[in-house]
Amino acid sequence: APPNLNKPLGIKPKQKAQQEVKTVTDETRKRDLRSILANSDVEAHLRSKVADNWLRIFKEYLPKLDHMIEFYPFLVHSFSMEPAKAFHRMQVWEDNLFQLIPEHRRKEFRKKLAFEIQKHGTPEYVAEKVTNSLSLSLS
């Protein structure tokens, strides 16, 4: 007898994998900030206050703070007492270089350029870096 094609085979259709939603709490942020600050020049008894200061400053911009903690911990470390400077430095590089790089390669480039990112934060410097990089890759 021919198979009954109307009968369910017990195979469920593949469902799209749900994107992992990352929920970050202020406590998690504070813990991560204190961990980054542990290797900085900030004295141990001040680390919690410095972390609180970062949270207060970025309270309206928590996604930006989360981005900085995840991808630019070296800026939090280097500019622990200057959160605005760290943020500005991150934005200059994000806006002038990393938006030009495919997302899957950005982490690698941030790591390679960490020292330069810490030292140079002007759009002109980043633009020159992009121009030089492009001319090298095209030659």
Side-chain angles (χ1 to χ4, degrees):
N4 181 353
L5 299 177
N6 294 322
K7 182 180 175 188
L9 299 174
I11 301 171
K12 295 181 181 178
K14 279 189 172 181
Q15 293 182 354
K16 287 185 177 180
Q18 290 182 350
Q19 281 216 339
E20 188 179 323
V21 178
K22 195 172 172 182
T23 55
V24 182
T25 65
D26 279 350
E27 276 307 307
T28 305
R29 286 182 189 99
K30 188 172 180 176
R31 184 197 67 223
D32 292 346
L33 285 166
R34 282 194 319 245
S35 174
I36 294 167
L37 296 170
N39 297 318
S40 72
D41 293 340
V42 177
E43 294 182 33
H45 69 282
L46 295 175
R47 289 182 191 138
S48 188
K49 287 182 182 183
V50 171
D52 286 339
N53 188 44
W54 278 75
L55 288 170
R56 182 183 55 75
I57 289 170
F58 287 97
K59 71 180 173 192
E60 302 295 323
Y61 307 97
L62 292 176
K64 293 286 186 183
L65 178 59
D66 295 339
H67 187 78
M68 194 177 319
I69 290 169
E70 183 174 355
F71 297 111
Y72 294 89
F74 52 90
L75 288 179
V76 175
H77 177 270
S78 296
F79 302 110
S80 54
M81 302 303 277
E82 302 173 275
K85 186 173 184 176
F87 174 76
H88 175 68
R89 187 76 41 107
M90 176 188 77
Q91 277 309 128
V92 165
W93 283 86
E94 285 289 315
D95 295 345
N96 294 287
L97 176 63
F98 293 116
Q99 70 175 356
L100 305 173
I101 297 173
E103 194 168 337
H104 68 279
R105 306 246 0 243
R106 290 178 188 169
K107 189 172 186 176
E108 166 194 346
F109 277 92
R110 286 184 192 108
K111 195 173 187 176
K112 281 183 183 178
L113 296 171
F115 181 75
E116 286 189 68
I117 294 170
Q118 287 173 290
K119 294 292 178 194
H120 306 284
T122 64
E124 297 79 17
Y125 178 86
V126 180
E128 183 181 320
K129 184 77 176 163
V130 171
T131 303
N132 291 341
S133 297
L134 288 175
S135 65
L136 287 175
S137 66
L138 295 175
S139 51

